[in-house]
């Protein structure tokens, strides 16, 4: 075994604390390129030195073949190509991430000089103060990774797959974490979410927003409990069961939850359209498990477009069974992230429903009955802050109500 300091392009240096740092310095382009060997098990010993030396030579040689194109130019060109093949919503999200985060941070640097430590620094700068971890992972880092990979392919050089591997995220102290309360979405946010959501989930979300149903109650809906009133174009649904986390069909959360929910003309129209589309699928794809008591939102064939030109690569293992709520939650969160809405979960649709009713002037008793709460006090505890609390306005109302001349 050769002596360490006798190895080519290798040197050891003693630090002030007595430890020893190891370096390689291959000559690239006529100049020595010094790199410190990381204190990592895979680079230990002579074999580790040789592997790390080969790695450095490969990286520096590839760098010599890179263009000096700035990241800002590369990202702009990628966006132009991306917009040709993506929907308007996806293109808008990509543009916001690239122009709002990536170009201001990396735009003036050559694209090939972006290192893993630069990406790690960006994460610690933005998470969680400006971005959630999921938003950083699913949108920002995804866009950055695609841009670098796209440019690597264009210049026909190897893409470093380890650039994004094993990135760390800030840890929030337990005392600093706040329990997330319900969120009321605006009509514009609901529209953006539906646009980003796969088509086969849209009717489910629309009905939850219009009725305030819990996710388990919505997934347990059966056509036999739905009634359309021909004369008025409205209808109702009778809540009888819910699906728990173990995928078991059980009674609703409270005895009061088992009730009839009125449907407006819009809700009836959504369900009728959904029933017609589902009937077509049941004829085209036999073997559904719910033939005796058809479900309203069961597992069904998944297509790439709403007009059913071809089926998606991922399909449920069985048709006509209850859907898993976790899959719905993940699909909703993925769509919310892609739409730039942050964190959204299915129970937010119930909160949205109640908040909108209150803002439109519904009294507390009607809202409580609609949500099927155990008591009005429950509704007040959750939504009481949304009701009028301006005492002067209350006094003015009393004056108008009791006019003594």
């Amino acid at each position: 075994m050769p002596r360490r300091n006798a190895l080519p392009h290798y040197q050891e240096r003693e630090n002030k604390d007595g430890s020893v740092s190891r370096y390689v310095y291959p000559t690239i382009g006529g100049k020595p390129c010094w790199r410190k060997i990381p204190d990592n098990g895979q680079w230990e010993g002579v074999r580790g030195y040789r592997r790390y030396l080969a790695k450095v030579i490969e990286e520096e040689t590839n760098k010599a073949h890179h263009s000096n194109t700035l990241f800002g130019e590369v990202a702009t060109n990628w966006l132009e190509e991306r917009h040709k093949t993506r929907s308007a919503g996806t293109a808008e999200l990509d543009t916001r991430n690239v122009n709002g985060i990536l170009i201001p941070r990396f735009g003036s640097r050559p694209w090939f000089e972006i290192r893993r430590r630069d990406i790690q620094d960006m994460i610690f700068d933005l998470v969680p103060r400006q971005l959630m971890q999921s938003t950083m992972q699913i949108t920002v880092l995804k866009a950055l990774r695609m841009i670098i990979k796209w440019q690597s392919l264009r210049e026909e050089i190897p893409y470093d797959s380890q650039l994004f591997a094993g990135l760390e995220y800030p840890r929030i102290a337990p005392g600093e974490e706040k329990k997330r309360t319900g969120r009321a979405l605006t009509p514009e946010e609901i529209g953006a979410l539906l646009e980003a959501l796969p088509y086969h989930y849209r009717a489910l979300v629309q009905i939850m927003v219009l009725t305030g149903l819990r996710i388990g109650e919505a997934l347990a809906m059966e056509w036999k409990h739905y009634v359309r009133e021909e004369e008025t174009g409205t209808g109702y649904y009778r809540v009888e069961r819910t699906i728990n986390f173990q995928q078991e069909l059980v009674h609703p959360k409270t005895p009061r939850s088992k009730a009839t929910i009125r449907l407006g003309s819009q809700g009836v129209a959504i369900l009728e359209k959904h029933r017609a589309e589902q009937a077509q699928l049941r004829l085209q794809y036999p073997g559904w498990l719910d033939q005796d008591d058809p479900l309203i939102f069961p597992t069904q064939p998944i297509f790439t477009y709403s007009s059913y030109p071809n089926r998606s690569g991922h399909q449920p293992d069985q048709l006509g069974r209850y859907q898993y709520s976790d899959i719905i939650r993940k699909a909703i969160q993925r769509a919310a992230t892609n739409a730039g809405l942050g964190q959204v979960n299915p129970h937010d649709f119930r909160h949205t429903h109640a908040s909108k009713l209150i803002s439109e002037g519904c009294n507390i008793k009607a809202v409580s009955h609609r949500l099927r709460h155990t008591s009005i006090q429950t509704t007040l505890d959750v939504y009481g802050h949304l009701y009028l609390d301006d005492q002067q306005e209350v006094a003015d109302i009393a004056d108008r109500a009791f006019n003594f001349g």
Side-chain angles (χ1 to χ4, degrees):
M1 177 177 175
R3 290 185 300 107
R4 290 285 180 88
N5 285 328
L7 296 172
H9 309 295
Y10 175 84
Q11 189 172 108
E12 294 181 353
R13 295 179 180 177
E14 186 174 351
N15 301 316
K16 292 181 178 180
D17 60 0
S19 62
V20 176
S21 296
R22 304 188 303 149
Y23 295 85
V24 295
Y25 56 99
T27 301
I28 307 294
K31 296 181 179 180
C33 177
W34 285 84
R35 294 274 286 273
K36 182 180 177 181
I37 301 177
D39 294 328
N40 189 312
Q42 63 177 321
W43 311 121
E44 289 181 355
V46 175
R47 291 183 179 179
Y49 140 78
R50 287 172 177 161
R51 286 196 301 270
Y52 191 72
L53 177 63
K55 179 178 183 294
V56 171
I57 292 174
E58 180 183 2
E59 289 179 354
E60 296 300 324
T61 303
N62 287 336
K63 186 186 298 184
H65 293 90
H66 289 161
S67 69
N68 289 320
T69 309
L70 299 181
F71 176 81
E73 182 180 344
V74 172
T76 302
N77 293 336
W78 175 80
L79 276 178
E80 292 178 359
E81 293 295 321
R82 179 85 165 161
H83 286 192
K84 296 176 182 177
T85 58
R86 293 297 183 269
S87 66
T90 301
E92 181 182 355
L93 178 65
D94 289 335
T95 301
R96 185 163 61 246
N97 287 324
V98 170
N99 293 337
I101 299 175
L102 297 178
I103 288 182
R105 193 171 190 97
F106 303 121
S108 60
R109 298 172 55 179
W111 71 274
F112 61 84
E113 289 188 0
I114 298 176
R115 295 285 181 264
R116 188 177 181 279
R117 63 177 177 273
D118 301 320
I119 301 172
Q120 186 67 75
D121 289 343
M122 178 180 68
I123 292 174
F124 278 96
D125 286 346
L126 299 181
V127 178
R129 288 182 290 275
Q130 297 182 35
L131 297 175
M132 294 174 55
Q133 178 177 331
S134 60
T135 302
M136 174 62 74
Q137 290 175 317
I138 298 173
T139 62
V140 179
L141 292 186
K142 179 181 178 182
L144 180 59
R145 182 170 57 250
M146 293 176 69
I147 291 170
I148 294 176
K149 191 171 185 178
W150 178 76
Q151 187 66 12
S152 298
L153 292 173
R154 290 184 68 194
E155 298 191 11
E156 298 182 349
I157 56 178
Y159 165 69
D160 184 4
S161 59
Q162 296 300 310
L163 193 61
F164 295 87
L167 293 169
E168 298 179 352
Y169 292 84
R171 183 176 180 180
I172 302 175
E176 297 177 3
E177 278 187 313
K178 294 182 179 179
K179 185 177 180 180
R180 186 179 182 276
T181 56
R183 173 183 178 183
L185 301 168
T186 66
E188 293 75 21
E189 289 174 331
I190 292 292
L193 179 68
L194 291 173
E195 176 69 24
L197 200 65
Y199 182 80
H200 53 280
Y201 293 129
R202 292 180 187 175
L204 170 64
V205 170
Q206 288 173 325
I207 291 301
M208 291 179 67
V209 171
L210 287 172
T211 61
L213 284 170
R214 302 176 180 92
I215 180 64
E217 295 168 344
L219 295 179
M221 290 177 73
E222 296 175 315
W223 288 114
K224 67 181 181 181
H225 298 310
Y226 160 68
V227 175
R228 177 190 179 188
E229 297 172 342
E230 298 289 343
E231 296 180 358
T232 61
T234 59
Y236 61 87
Y237 181 79
R238 194 168 64 253
V239 179
E240 294 287 345
R241 292 287 189 272
T242 187
I243 298 293
N244 63 17
F245 286 106
Q246 288 76 40
Q247 290 300 108
E248 300 168 334
L249 191 64
V250 296
H251 289 287
K253 185 176 180 180
T254 64
R256 181 116 182 231
S257 296
K258 195 172 183 179
T260 297
I261 297 180
R262 294 294 309 180
L263 298 168
S265 57
Q266 184 178 193
V268 168
I270 291 170
L271 286 176
E272 290 299 321
K273 179 185 177 183
H274 179 68
R275 177 151 61 179
E277 293 175 346
Q278 190 182 103
Q280 180 183 347
L281 291 175
R282 288 179 183 272
L283 289 175
Q284 190 173 355
Y285 299 94
W288 293 52
L289 300 179
D290 60 342
Q291 296 295 336
D292 295 334
D293 295 311
L295 298 170
I296 295 181
F297 299 112
T299 54
Q300 65 177 50
I302 300 173
F303 298 84
T304 53
Y305 302 100
S306 59
S307 53
Y308 307 138
N310 50 67
R311 297 178 75 182
S312 170
H314 176 72
Q315 296 293 322
D317 54 354
Q318 294 175 314
L319 301 179
R321 63 166 170 77
Y322 297 110
Q323 295 194 70
Y324 290 102
S325 60
D326 282 349
I327 293 178
I328 306 296
R329 294 175 196 278
K330 290 177 181 178
I332 290 171
Q333 184 53 60
R334 190 179 302 114
T337 301
N338 289 338
L341 300 177
Q343 187 175 0
V344 176
N345 66 50
H347 203 73
D348 289 338
F349 304 140
R350 182 173 171 86
H351 194 76
T352 298
H353 180 77
S355 300
K356 191 63 176 175
L357 293 180
I358 293 171
S359 68
E360 294 294 325
C362 286
N363 65 66
I364 189 68
K365 182 178 179 181
V367 173
S368 182
H369 184 78
R370 180 73 168 177
L371 297 178
R372 294 160 291 124
H373 282 158
T374 304
S375 67
I376 292 179
Q377 186 60 49
T378 303
T379 312
L380 277 171
D381 290 343
V382 180
Y383 303 104
H385 65 285
L386 298 177
Y387 279 94
L388 177 67
D389 195 30
D390 186 332
Q391 292 303 308
Q392 183 57 54
E393 189 170 348
V394 172
D396 293 340
I397 291 173
D399 280 348
R400 292 193 297 270
F402 305 101
N403 187 356
F404 295 113

